[in-house]
Amino acid sequence: MKKTISLLLLFISVLFYSQVIEKNYTFRTKEEVKSFSEDVMNSFSKKDFKNAYAILRMKWILPENELDQLEGLTMKQMNMVTSRYGEIVGYEFYKDLAINETLLRKIYILKFENSPIIFSFTYYNSGKGWILNGFKYSDEADILQF
């Protein structure tokens, strides 16, 4: 009986502890930020949108429903986009925009046969590390300011 109660208490404490552990949202270095952004873009370039959003979800600190809505919208739009712009032929890094060591925006181009889509990842340095603060994409090339 004592053994059963001890095991039950152990199980309850492990379950409680697993609920308390906080998700690690931060990146320690800009190299980790780059690797994360590249992983997302690599999934997008392979039309693996579910995986791209699964990767984003690992570090998403904003309300989960925002990312869920964007994922649903992406699934619908990408079918329309490929019929209009052709197949995805790859991606490339465009540039970093930085405000000192506080904000960092990484900009990528998802290349289709007939037109690009611009992807933007915004990271904020909280003093404890870099946090993914925003993610968006657009077919408006003027965002590149070239």
mmCIF file of all heavy atoms in Angstrom, residues 91-140:
data_model
loop_
_atom_site.group_PDB
_atom_site.id
_atom_site.type_symbol
_atom_site.label_atom_id
_atom_site.label_comp_id
_atom_site.label_asym_id
_atom_site.label_seq_id
_atom_site.Cartn_x
_atom_site.Cartn_y
_atom_site.Cartn_z
ATOM 1 N N TYR A 91 14.718 29.364 -52.437
ATOM 2 C CA TYR A 91 14.680 30.598 -51.653
ATOM 3 C C TYR A 91 16.088 31.137 -51.531
ATOM 4 O O TYR A 91 17.068 30.436 -51.785
ATOM 5 C CB TYR A 91 14.066 30.368 -50.267
ATOM 6 C CG TYR A 91 14.978 29.698 -49.276
ATOM 7 C CD1 TYR A 91 15.760 30.454 -48.402
ATOM 8 C CD2 TYR A 91 15.096 28.312 -49.216
ATOM 9 C CE1 TYR A 91 16.608 29.838 -47.492
ATOM 10 C CE2 TYR A 91 15.935 27.695 -48.321
ATOM 11 C CZ TYR A 91 16.693 28.464 -47.455
ATOM 12 O OH TYR A 91 17.529 27.845 -46.566
ATOM 13 N N GLU A 92 16.174 32.408 -51.172
ATOM 14 C CA GLU A 92 17.482 32.980 -50.882
ATOM 15 C C GLU A 92 17.347 34.038 -49.800
ATOM 16 O O GLU A 92 16.303 34.661 -49.638
ATOM 17 C CB GLU A 92 18.146 33.563 -52.131
ATOM 18 C CG GLU A 92 17.461 34.763 -52.720
ATOM 19 C CD GLU A 92 18.169 35.236 -53.991
ATOM 20 O OE1 GLU A 92 18.095 34.533 -55.006
ATOM 21 O OE2 GLU A 92 18.772 36.330 -53.935
ATOM 22 N N PHE A 93 18.418 34.179 -49.054
ATOM 23 C CA PHE A 93 18.491 35.212 -48.036
ATOM 24 C C PHE A 93 18.696 36.543 -48.739
ATOM 25 O O PHE A 93 19.509 36.637 -49.657
ATOM 26 C CB PHE A 93 19.658 34.908 -47.090
ATOM 27 C CG PHE A 93 19.926 36.004 -46.110
ATOM 28 C CD1 PHE A 93 19.057 36.242 -45.058
ATOM 29 C CD2 PHE A 93 21.046 36.793 -46.242
ATOM 30 C CE1 PHE A 93 19.306 37.261 -44.151
ATOM 31 C CE2 PHE A 93 21.306 37.810 -45.344
ATOM 32 C CZ PHE A 93 20.434 38.050 -44.295
ATOM 33 N N TYR A 94 17.950 37.579 -48.318
ATOM 34 C CA TYR A 94 18.134 38.906 -48.907
ATOM 35 C C TYR A 94 19.047 39.753 -48.035
ATOM 36 O O TYR A 94 20.133 40.123 -48.447
ATOM 37 C CB TYR A 94 16.783 39.579 -49.136
ATOM 38 C CG TYR A 94 16.888 41.020 -49.565
ATOM 39 C CD1 TYR A 94 17.560 41.382 -50.722
ATOM 40 C CD2 TYR A 94 16.311 42.023 -48.801
ATOM 41 C CE1 TYR A 94 17.673 42.711 -51.106
ATOM 42 C CE2 TYR A 94 16.406 43.352 -49.178
ATOM 43 C CZ TYR A 94 17.093 43.693 -50.328
ATOM 44 O OH TYR A 94 17.193 44.997 -50.696
ATOM 45 N N LYS A 95 18.600 40.060 -46.795
ATOM 46 C CA LYS A 95 19.458 40.846 -45.920
ATOM 47 C C LYS A 95 18.905 40.894 -44.503
ATOM 48 O O LYS A 95 17.750 40.544 -44.250
ATOM 49 C CB LYS A 95 19.666 42.259 -46.447
ATOM 50 C CG LYS A 95 18.455 43.173 -46.355
ATOM 51 C CD LYS A 95 18.848 44.571 -46.840
ATOM 52 C CE LYS A 95 17.695 45.542 -46.785
ATOM 53 N NZ LYS A 95 18.093 46.877 -47.209
ATOM 54 N N ASP A 96 19.761 41.360 -43.598
ATOM 55 C CA ASP A 96 19.373 41.651 -42.230
ATOM 56 C C ASP A 96 19.184 43.148 -42.085
ATOM 57 O O ASP A 96 19.983 43.932 -42.610
ATOM 58 C CB ASP A 96 20.474 41.242 -41.240
ATOM 59 C CG ASP A 96 20.567 39.753 -41.003
ATOM 60 O OD1 ASP A 96 19.571 39.035 -41.262
ATOM 61 O OD2 ASP A 96 21.632 39.298 -40.546
ATOM 62 N N LEU A 97 18.147 43.529 -41.394
ATOM 63 C CA LEU A 97 17.959 44.913 -40.977
ATOM 64 C C LEU A 97 18.046 44.901 -39.453
ATOM 65 O O LEU A 97 17.375 44.104 -38.803
ATOM 66 C CB LEU A 97 16.585 45.441 -41.404
ATOM 67 C CG LEU A 97 16.304 45.473 -42.901
ATOM 68 C CD1 LEU A 97 14.846 45.852 -43.154
ATOM 69 C CD2 LEU A 97 17.223 46.473 -43.577
ATOM 70 N N ALA A 98 18.898 45.762 -38.905
ATOM 71 C CA ALA A 98 19.097 45.736 -37.458
ATOM 72 C C ALA A 98 19.007 47.126 -36.868
ATOM 73 O O ALA A 98 19.388 48.109 -37.508
ATOM 74 C CB ALA A 98 20.455 45.129 -37.135
ATOM 75 N N ILE A 99 18.477 47.194 -35.670
ATOM 76 C CA ILE A 99 18.517 48.409 -34.865
ATOM 77 C C ILE A 99 19.379 48.058 -33.662
ATOM 78 O O ILE A 99 18.930 47.362 -32.732
ATOM 79 C CB ILE A 99 17.115 48.874 -34.432
ATOM 80 C CG1 ILE A 99 16.280 49.200 -35.655
ATOM 81 C CG2 ILE A 99 17.213 50.067 -33.490
ATOM 82 C CD1 ILE A 99 14.844 49.580 -35.372
ATOM 83 N N ASN A 100 20.634 48.494 -33.752
ATOM 84 C CA ASN A 100 21.620 48.188 -32.716
ATOM 85 C C ASN A 100 21.575 46.702 -32.371
ATOM 86 O O ASN A 100 21.552 45.872 -33.249
ATOM 87 C CB ASN A 100 21.398 49.088 -31.499
ATOM 88 C CG ASN A 100 21.502 50.555 -31.870
ATOM 89 O OD1 ASN A 100 22.323 50.933 -32.688
ATOM 90 N ND2 ASN A 100 20.657 51.370 -31.276
ATOM 91 N N GLU A 101 21.563 46.380 -31.101
ATOM 92 C CA GLU A 101 21.451 44.983 -30.654
ATOM 93 C C GLU A 101 20.071 44.727 -30.060
ATOM 94 O O GLU A 101 19.903 43.829 -29.235
ATOM 95 C CB GLU A 101 22.539 44.668 -29.617
ATOM 96 C CG GLU A 101 23.905 44.482 -30.220
ATOM 97 C CD GLU A 101 23.993 43.262 -31.129
ATOM 98 O OE1 GLU A 101 23.567 42.167 -30.721
ATOM 99 O OE2 GLU A 101 24.494 43.412 -32.257
ATOM 100 N N THR A 102 19.072 45.518 -30.495
ATOM 101 C CA THR A 102 17.725 45.409 -29.939
ATOM 102 C C THR A 102 16.769 44.676 -30.861
ATOM 103 O O THR A 102 16.044 43.787 -30.437
ATOM 104 C CB THR A 102 17.159 46.809 -29.621
ATOM 105 O OG1 THR A 102 18.058 47.470 -28.729
ATOM 106 C CG2 THR A 102 15.792 46.718 -28.981
ATOM 107 N N LEU A 103 16.733 45.042 -32.124
ATOM 108 C CA LEU A 103 15.829 44.423 -33.095
ATOM 109 C C LEU A 103 16.619 43.899 -34.286
ATOM 110 O O LEU A 103 17.592 44.516 -34.718
ATOM 111 C CB LEU A 103 14.799 45.430 -33.599
ATOM 112 C CG LEU A 103 13.690 45.823 -32.640
ATOM 113 C CD1 LEU A 103 12.863 46.970 -33.224
ATOM 114 C CD2 LEU A 103 12.783 44.650 -32.337
ATOM 115 N N LEU A 104 16.161 42.787 -34.798
ATOM 116 C CA LEU A 104 16.779 42.194 -35.981
ATOM 117 C C LEU A 104 15.670 41.664 -36.880
ATOM 118 O O LEU A 104 14.792 40.940 -36.418
ATOM 119 C CB LEU A 104 17.708 41.033 -35.580
ATOM 120 C CG LEU A 104 18.301 40.204 -36.710
ATOM 121 C CD1 LEU A 104 19.223 41.048 -37.583
ATOM 122 C CD2 LEU A 104 19.042 39.000 -36.145
ATOM 123 N N ARG A 105 15.685 42.059 -38.132
ATOM 124 C CA ARG A 105 14.742 41.526 -39.119
ATOM 125 C C ARG A 105 15.542 40.793 -40.180
ATOM 126 O O ARG A 105 16.454 41.347 -40.787
ATOM 127 C CB ARG A 105 13.919 42.640 -39.743
ATOM 128 C CG ARG A 105 12.953 42.096 -40.791
ATOM 129 C CD ARG A 105 11.907 43.087 -41.187
ATOM 130 N NE ARG A 105 10.978 43.216 -40.085
ATOM 131 C CZ ARG A 105 10.208 44.283 -39.887
ATOM 132 N NH1 ARG A 105 10.267 45.298 -40.705
ATOM 133 N NH2 ARG A 105 9.379 44.330 -38.871
ATOM 134 N N LYS A 106 15.198 39.529 -40.380
ATOM 135 C CA LYS A 106 15.827 38.713 -41.412
ATOM 136 C C LYS A 106 14.835 38.607 -42.570
ATOM 137 O O LYS A 106 13.700 38.210 -42.367
ATOM 138 C CB LYS A 106 16.186 37.330 -40.872
ATOM 139 C CG LYS A 106 17.193 37.401 -39.723
ATOM 140 C CD LYS A 106 17.759 36.078 -39.354
ATOM 141 C CE LYS A 106 18.902 35.613 -40.170
ATOM 142 N NZ LYS A 106 20.033 36.467 -40.384
ATOM 143 N N ILE A 107 15.289 38.962 -43.761
ATOM 144 C CA ILE A 107 14.413 38.983 -44.923
ATOM 145 C C ILE A 107 14.890 37.947 -45.940
ATOM 146 O O ILE A 107 16.070 37.892 -46.293
ATOM 147 C CB ILE A 107 14.364 40.385 -45.557
ATOM 148 C CG1 ILE A 107 13.869 41.396 -44.520
ATOM 149 C CG2 ILE A 107 13.458 40.387 -46.787
ATOM 150 C CD1 ILE A 107 13.929 42.827 -44.966
ATOM 151 N N TYR A 108 13.933 37.139 -46.387
ATOM 152 C CA TYR A 108 14.192 36.076 -47.356
ATOM 153 C C TYR A 108 13.251 36.233 -48.541
ATOM 154 O O TYR A 108 12.178 36.829 -48.431
ATOM 155 C CB TYR A 108 13.936 34.696 -46.735
ATOM 156 C CG TYR A 108 14.943 34.310 -45.696
ATOM 157 C CD1 TYR A 108 14.825 34.731 -44.384
ATOM 158 C CD2 TYR A 108 16.025 33.504 -46.038
ATOM 159 C CE1 TYR A 108 15.756 34.364 -43.423
ATOM 160 C CE2 TYR A 108 16.959 33.127 -45.082
ATOM 161 C CZ TYR A 108 16.816 33.567 -43.779
ATOM 162 O OH TYR A 108 17.740 33.204 -42.837
ATOM 163 N N ILE A 109 13.657 35.660 -49.656
ATOM 164 C CA ILE A 109 12.830 35.646 -50.864
ATOM 165 C C ILE A 109 12.522 34.188 -51.193
ATOM 166 O O ILE A 109 13.448 33.387 -51.412
ATOM 167 C CB ILE A 109 13.567 36.307 -52.044
ATOM 168 C CG1 ILE A 109 13.920 37.754 -51.697
ATOM 169 C CG2 ILE A 109 12.727 36.222 -53.313
ATOM 170 C CD1 ILE A 109 14.892 38.401 -52.661
ATOM 171 N N LEU A 110 11.234 33.851 -51.195
ATOM 172 C CA LEU A 110 10.801 32.536 -51.661
ATOM 173 C C LEU A 110 10.553 32.692 -53.154
ATOM 174 O O LEU A 110 9.685 33.470 -53.568
ATOM 175 C CB LEU A 110 9.536 32.084 -50.921
ATOM 176 C CG LEU A 110 9.041 30.671 -51.237
ATOM 177 C CD1 LEU A 110 10.080 29.619 -50.832
ATOM 178 C CD2 LEU A 110 7.720 30.398 -50.525
ATOM 179 N N LYS A 111 11.332 31.990 -53.952
ATOM 180 C CA LYS A 111 11.303 32.186 -55.402
ATOM 181 C C LYS A 111 10.367 31.191 -56.073
ATOM 182 O O LYS A 111 10.475 29.988 -55.865
ATOM 183 C CB LYS A 111 12.714 32.059 -55.975
ATOM 184 C CG LYS A 111 13.677 33.058 -55.364
ATOM 185 C CD LYS A 111 15.023 33.106 -56.026
ATOM 186 C CE LYS A 111 15.763 31.816 -56.003
ATOM 187 N NZ LYS A 111 17.131 31.920 -56.551
ATOM 188 N N PHE A 112 9.450 31.720 -56.846
ATOM 189 C CA PHE A 112 8.568 30.930 -57.691
ATOM 190 C C PHE A 112 9.044 31.104 -59.122
ATOM 191 O O PHE A 112 9.895 31.942 -59.406
ATOM 192 C CB PHE A 112 7.117 31.416 -57.551
ATOM 193 C CG PHE A 112 6.495 31.109 -56.217
ATOM 194 C CD1 PHE A 112 6.790 31.870 -55.103
ATOM 195 C CD2 PHE A 112 5.603 30.049 -56.079
ATOM 196 C CE1 PHE A 112 6.224 31.592 -53.875
ATOM 197 C CE2 PHE A 112 5.033 29.759 -54.853
ATOM 198 C CZ PHE A 112 5.342 30.530 -53.749
ATOM 199 N N GLU A 113 8.479 30.345 -60.048
ATOM 200 C CA GLU A 113 8.888 30.455 -61.451
ATOM 201 C C GLU A 113 8.653 31.855 -62.012
ATOM 202 O O GLU A 113 9.453 32.345 -62.810
ATOM 203 C CB GLU A 113 8.114 29.436 -62.295
ATOM 204 C CG GLU A 113 8.498 28.008 -62.002
ATOM 205 C CD GLU A 113 7.570 27.008 -62.677
ATOM 206 O OE1 GLU A 113 6.338 27.226 -62.680
ATOM 207 O OE2 GLU A 113 8.087 26.014 -63.202
ATOM 208 N N ASN A 114 7.570 32.528 -61.580
ATOM 209 C CA ASN A 114 7.200 33.801 -62.201
ATOM 210 C C ASN A 114 7.220 35.014 -61.282
ATOM 211 O O ASN A 114 7.041 36.135 -61.758
ATOM 212 C CB ASN A 114 5.797 33.683 -62.806
ATOM 213 C CG ASN A 114 5.715 32.566 -63.809
ATOM 214 O OD1 ASN A 114 6.615 32.371 -64.621
ATOM 215 N ND2 ASN A 114 4.649 31.788 -63.749
ATOM 216 N N SER A 115 7.417 34.826 -59.992
ATOM 217 C CA SER A 115 7.361 35.956 -59.071
ATOM 218 C C SER A 115 7.856 35.526 -57.685
ATOM 219 O O SER A 115 7.770 34.349 -57.343
ATOM 220 C CB SER A 115 5.926 36.478 -58.970
ATOM 221 O OG SER A 115 5.887 37.684 -58.258
ATOM 222 N N PRO A 116 8.343 36.481 -56.893
ATOM 223 C CA PRO A 116 8.798 36.126 -55.545
ATOM 224 C C PRO A 116 7.746 36.436 -54.477
ATOM 225 O O PRO A 116 6.812 37.201 -54.707
ATOM 226 C CB PRO A 116 9.993 37.059 -55.346
ATOM 227 C CG PRO A 116 9.566 38.311 -56.057
ATOM 228 C CD PRO A 116 8.796 37.818 -57.271
ATOM 229 N N ILE A 117 7.930 35.837 -53.316
ATOM 230 C CA ILE A 117 7.205 36.228 -52.108
ATOM 231 C C ILE A 117 8.267 36.539 -51.062
ATOM 232 O O ILE A 117 9.234 35.792 -50.898
ATOM 233 C CB ILE A 117 6.250 35.123 -51.608
ATOM 234 C CG1 ILE A 117 5.112 34.949 -52.612
ATOM 235 C CG2 ILE A 117 5.690 35.475 -50.236
ATOM 236 C CD1 ILE A 117 4.056 33.965 -52.186
ATOM 237 N N ILE A 118 8.086 37.659 -50.377
ATOM 238 C CA ILE A 118 9.058 38.129 -49.406
ATOM 239 C C ILE A 118 8.648 37.657 -48.010
ATOM 240 O O ILE A 118 7.508 37.862 -47.594
ATOM 241 C CB ILE A 118 9.147 39.675 -49.407
ATOM 242 C CG1 ILE A 118 9.234 40.238 -50.832
ATOM 243 C CG2 ILE A 118 10.290 40.151 -48.520
ATOM 244 C CD1 ILE A 118 10.258 39.636 -51.726
ATOM 245 N N PHE A 119 9.574 37.037 -47.292
ATOM 246 C CA PHE A 119 9.343 36.562 -45.927
ATOM 247 C C PHE A 119 10.173 37.399 -44.966
ATOM 248 O O PHE A 119 11.336 37.692 -45.240
ATOM 249 C CB PHE A 119 9.751 35.095 -45.789
ATOM 250 C CG PHE A 119 8.745 34.136 -46.334
ATOM 251 C CD1 PHE A 119 8.552 34.013 -47.699
ATOM 252 C CD2 PHE A 119 7.976 33.360 -45.483
ATOM 253 C CE1 PHE A 119 7.622 33.131 -48.213
ATOM 254 C CE2 PHE A 119 7.038 32.473 -45.986
ATOM 255 C CZ PHE A 119 6.853 32.360 -47.354
ATOM 256 N N SER A 120 9.561 37.746 -43.847
ATOM 257 C CA SER A 120 10.227 38.579 -42.857
ATOM 258 C C SER A 120 10.084 37.966 -41.465
ATOM 259 O O SER A 120 8.974 37.662 -41.030
ATOM 260 C CB SER A 120 9.588 39.970 -42.902
ATOM 261 O OG SER A 120 10.048 40.764 -41.853
ATOM 262 N N PHE A 121 11.213 37.788 -40.800
ATOM 263 C CA PHE A 121 11.259 37.310 -39.418
ATOM 264 C C PHE A 121 11.776 38.471 -38.564
ATOM 265 O O PHE A 121 12.844 39.003 -38.854
ATOM 266 C CB PHE A 121 12.243 36.155 -39.259
ATOM 267 C CG PHE A 121 11.925 34.943 -40.076
ATOM 268 C CD1 PHE A 121 12.260 34.866 -41.421
ATOM 269 C CD2 PHE A 121 11.306 33.844 -39.490
ATOM 270 C CE1 PHE A 121 11.997 33.726 -42.168
ATOM 271 C CE2 PHE A 121 11.029 32.696 -40.233
ATOM 272 C CZ PHE A 121 11.376 32.647 -41.574
ATOM 273 N N THR A 122 11.058 38.838 -37.525
ATOM 274 C CA THR A 122 11.501 39.914 -36.643
ATOM 275 C C THR A 122 11.846 39.325 -35.284
ATOM 276 O O THR A 122 11.049 38.587 -34.698
ATOM 277 C CB THR A 122 10.419 40.991 -36.491
ATOM 278 O OG1 THR A 122 10.079 41.489 -37.796
ATOM 279 C CG2 THR A 122 10.904 42.148 -35.631
ATOM 280 N N TYR A 123 13.035 39.670 -34.790
ATOM 281 C CA TYR A 123 13.526 39.178 -33.506
ATOM 282 C C TYR A 123 13.833 40.366 -32.595
ATOM 283 O O TYR A 123 14.354 41.380 -33.051
ATOM 284 C CB TYR A 123 14.797 38.346 -33.690
ATOM 285 C CG TYR A 123 14.584 37.113 -34.525
ATOM 286 C CD1 TYR A 123 14.751 37.138 -35.915
ATOM 287 C CD2 TYR A 123 14.202 35.913 -33.935
ATOM 288 C CE1 TYR A 123 14.551 36.000 -36.676
ATOM 289 C CE2 TYR A 123 13.996 34.770 -34.694
ATOM 290 C CZ TYR A 123 14.168 34.827 -36.069
ATOM 291 O OH TYR A 123 13.963 33.697 -36.826
ATOM 292 N N TYR A 124 13.530 40.188 -31.328
ATOM 293 C CA TYR A 124 13.774 41.208 -30.312
ATOM 294 C C TYR A 124 14.753 40.658 -29.286
ATOM 295 O O TYR A 124 14.587 39.535 -28.814
ATOM 296 C CB TYR A 124 12.456 41.585 -29.630
ATOM 297 C CG TYR A 124 12.616 42.436 -28.399
ATOM 298 C CD1 TYR A 124 13.077 43.742 -28.500
ATOM 299 C CD2 TYR A 124 12.315 41.931 -27.138
ATOM 300 C CE1 TYR A 124 13.237 44.524 -27.365
ATOM 301 C CE2 TYR A 124 12.463 42.706 -26.003
ATOM 302 C CZ TYR A 124 12.927 44.003 -26.121
ATOM 303 O OH TYR A 124 13.086 44.768 -25.010
ATOM 304 N N ASN A 125 15.768 41.452 -28.955
ATOM 305 C CA ASN A 125 16.728 41.046 -27.932
ATOM 306 C C ASN A 125 16.225 41.534 -26.581
ATOM 307 O O ASN A 125 16.259 42.726 -26.280
ATOM 308 C CB ASN A 125 18.104 41.616 -28.235
ATOM 309 C CG ASN A 125 19.160 41.084 -27.297
ATOM 310 O OD1 ASN A 125 18.866 40.465 -26.276
ATOM 311 N ND2 ASN A 125 20.410 41.333 -27.641
ATOM 312 N N SER A 126 15.762 40.604 -25.761
ATOM 313 C CA SER A 126 15.171 40.935 -24.460
ATOM 314 C C SER A 126 16.227 41.177 -23.384
ATOM 315 O O SER A 126 15.884 41.521 -22.263
ATOM 316 C CB SER A 126 14.271 39.783 -24.000
ATOM 317 O OG SER A 126 15.057 38.637 -23.719
ATOM 318 N N GLY A 127 17.483 41.004 -23.720
ATOM 319 C CA GLY A 127 18.540 41.060 -22.724
ATOM 320 C C GLY A 127 18.868 39.666 -22.221
ATOM 321 O O GLY A 127 19.935 39.428 -21.666
ATOM 322 N N LYS A 128 17.937 38.738 -22.422
ATOM 323 C CA LYS A 128 18.157 37.341 -22.041
ATOM 324 C C LYS A 128 18.331 36.467 -23.271
ATOM 325 O O LYS A 128 18.516 35.269 -23.165
ATOM 326 C CB LYS A 128 16.968 36.836 -21.228
ATOM 327 C CG LYS A 128 16.782 37.558 -19.924
ATOM 328 C CD LYS A 128 15.563 37.066 -19.195
ATOM 329 C CE LYS A 128 15.361 37.859 -17.919
ATOM 330 N NZ LYS A 128 14.148 37.484 -17.219
ATOM 331 N N GLY A 129 18.216 37.084 -24.429
ATOM 332 C CA GLY A 129 18.351 36.363 -25.683
ATOM 333 C C GLY A 129 17.400 36.942 -26.731
ATOM 334 O O GLY A 129 16.606 37.835 -26.450
ATOM 335 N N TRP A 130 17.504 36.422 -27.935
ATOM 336 C CA TRP A 130 16.672 36.866 -29.045
ATOM 337 C C TRP A 130 15.352 36.101 -29.026
ATOM 338 O O TRP A 130 15.328 34.894 -28.850
ATOM 339 C CB TRP A 130 17.385 36.632 -30.373
ATOM 340 C CG TRP A 130 18.587 37.498 -30.534
ATOM 341 C CD1 TRP A 130 19.878 37.178 -30.230
ATOM 342 C CD2 TRP A 130 18.610 38.835 -31.003
ATOM 343 N NE1 TRP A 130 20.694 38.243 -30.490
ATOM 344 C CE2 TRP A 130 19.958 39.273 -30.972
ATOM 345 C CE3 TRP A 130 17.621 39.723 -31.451
ATOM 346 C CZ2 TRP A 130 20.335 40.554 -31.367
ATOM 347 C CZ3 TRP A 130 18.007 40.992 -31.854
ATOM 348 C CH2 TRP A 130 19.346 41.389 -31.816
ATOM 349 N N ILE A 131 14.255 36.822 -29.218
ATOM 350 C CA ILE A 131 12.913 36.248 -29.212
ATOM 351 C C ILE A 131 12.256 36.522 -30.557
ATOM 352 O O ILE A 131 12.285 37.653 -31.048
ATOM 353 C CB ILE A 131 12.054 36.873 -28.095
ATOM 354 C CG1 ILE A 131 12.667 36.600 -26.727
ATOM 355 C CG2 ILE A 131 10.626 36.372 -28.157
ATOM 356 C CD1 ILE A 131 12.016 37.386 -25.599
ATOM 357 N N LEU A 132 11.657 35.486 -31.150
ATOM 358 C CA LEU A 132 10.885 35.674 -32.377
ATOM 359 C C LEU A 132 9.674 36.517 -32.030
ATOM 360 O O LEU A 132 8.806 36.113 -31.266
ATOM 361 C CB LEU A 132 10.447 34.326 -32.959
ATOM 362 C CG LEU A 132 9.560 34.389 -34.207
ATOM 363 C CD1 LEU A 132 10.301 35.041 -35.382
ATOM 364 C CD2 LEU A 132 9.087 32.994 -34.585
ATOM 365 N N ASN A 133 9.623 37.723 -32.581
ATOM 366 C CA ASN A 133 8.586 38.680 -32.225
ATOM 367 C C ASN A 133 7.569 38.870 -33.337
ATOM 368 O O ASN A 133 6.519 39.445 -33.123
ATOM 369 C CB ASN A 133 9.254 40.014 -31.879
ATOM 370 C CG ASN A 133 8.351 40.963 -31.177
ATOM 371 O OD1 ASN A 133 7.854 41.872 -31.820
ATOM 372 N ND2 ASN A 133 8.135 40.755 -29.901
ATOM 373 N N GLY A 134 7.886 38.402 -34.550
ATOM 374 C CA GLY A 134 6.961 38.552 -35.661
ATOM 375 C C GLY A 134 7.403 37.756 -36.872
ATOM 376 O O GLY A 134 8.592 37.506 -37.064
ATOM 377 N N PHE A 135 6.419 37.352 -37.644
ATOM 378 C CA PHE A 135 6.671 36.610 -38.876
ATOM 379 C C PHE A 135 5.580 36.984 -39.861
ATOM 380 O O PHE A 135 4.402 37.011 -39.512
ATOM 381 C CB PHE A 135 6.614 35.099 -38.595
ATOM 382 C CG PHE A 135 6.579 34.255 -39.832
ATOM 383 C CD1 PHE A 135 7.725 34.049 -40.582
ATOM 384 C CD2 PHE A 135 5.396 33.676 -40.268
ATOM 385 C CE1 PHE A 135 7.693 33.268 -41.733
ATOM 386 C CE2 PHE A 135 5.351 32.899 -41.406
ATOM 387 C CZ PHE A 135 6.501 32.703 -42.140
ATOM 388 N N LYS A 136 5.980 37.331 -41.073
ATOM 389 C CA LYS A 136 4.986 37.638 -42.102
ATOM 390 C C LYS A 136 5.588 37.411 -43.480
ATOM 391 O O LYS A 136 6.795 37.288 -43.634
ATOM 392 C CB LYS A 136 4.476 39.068 -41.961
ATOM 393 C CG LYS A 136 5.513 40.149 -42.140
ATOM 394 C CD LYS A 136 4.910 41.520 -41.919
ATOM 395 C CE LYS A 136 5.978 42.598 -42.013
ATOM 396 N NZ LYS A 136 5.425 43.924 -41.816
ATOM 397 N N TYR A 137 4.698 37.370 -44.453
ATOM 398 C CA TYR A 137 5.139 37.269 -45.837
ATOM 399 C C TYR A 137 4.211 38.100 -46.707
ATOM 400 O O TYR A 137 3.083 38.391 -46.341
ATOM 401 C CB TYR A 137 5.208 35.821 -46.317
ATOM 402 C CG TYR A 137 3.902 35.071 -46.274
ATOM 403 C CD1 TYR A 137 3.021 35.118 -47.338
ATOM 404 C CD2 TYR A 137 3.557 34.304 -45.169
ATOM 405 C CE1 TYR A 137 1.821 34.422 -47.302
ATOM 406 C CE2 TYR A 137 2.362 33.606 -45.125
ATOM 407 C CZ TYR A 137 1.502 33.671 -46.197
ATOM 408 O OH TYR A 137 0.317 32.997 -46.158
ATOM 409 N N SER A 138 4.735 38.490 -47.875
ATOM 410 C CA SER A 138 3.974 39.346 -48.768
ATOM 411 C C SER A 138 4.506 39.188 -50.187
ATOM 412 O O SER A 138 5.686 38.916 -50.391
ATOM 413 C CB SER A 138 4.104 40.804 -48.339
ATOM 414 O OG SER A 138 3.505 41.664 -49.272
ATOM 415 N N ASP A 139 3.619 39.393 -51.160
ATOM 416 C CA ASP A 139 4.092 39.389 -52.544
ATOM 417 C C ASP A 139 4.438 40.818 -53.006
ATOM 418 O O ASP A 139 4.746 41.031 -54.154
ATOM 419 C CB ASP A 139 3.059 38.758 -53.486
ATOM 420 C CG ASP A 139 1.740 39.499 -53.512
ATOM 421 O OD1 ASP A 139 1.540 40.425 -52.714
ATOM 422 O OD2 ASP A 139 0.894 39.148 -54.354
ATOM 423 N N GLU A 140 4.412 41.761 -52.092
ATOM 424 C CA GLU A 140 4.746 43.155 -52.382
ATOM 425 C C GLU A 140 6.274 43.321 -52.335
ATOM 426 O O GLU A 140 6.865 43.349 -51.265
ATOM 427 C CB GLU A 140 4.113 44.090 -51.363
ATOM 428 C CG GLU A 140 2.617 43.921 -51.214
ATOM 429 C CD GLU A 140 1.839 44.898 -52.061
ATOM 430 O OE1 GLU A 140 2.358 45.974 -52.356
ATOM 431 O OE2 GLU A 140 0.700 44.556 -52.411
#
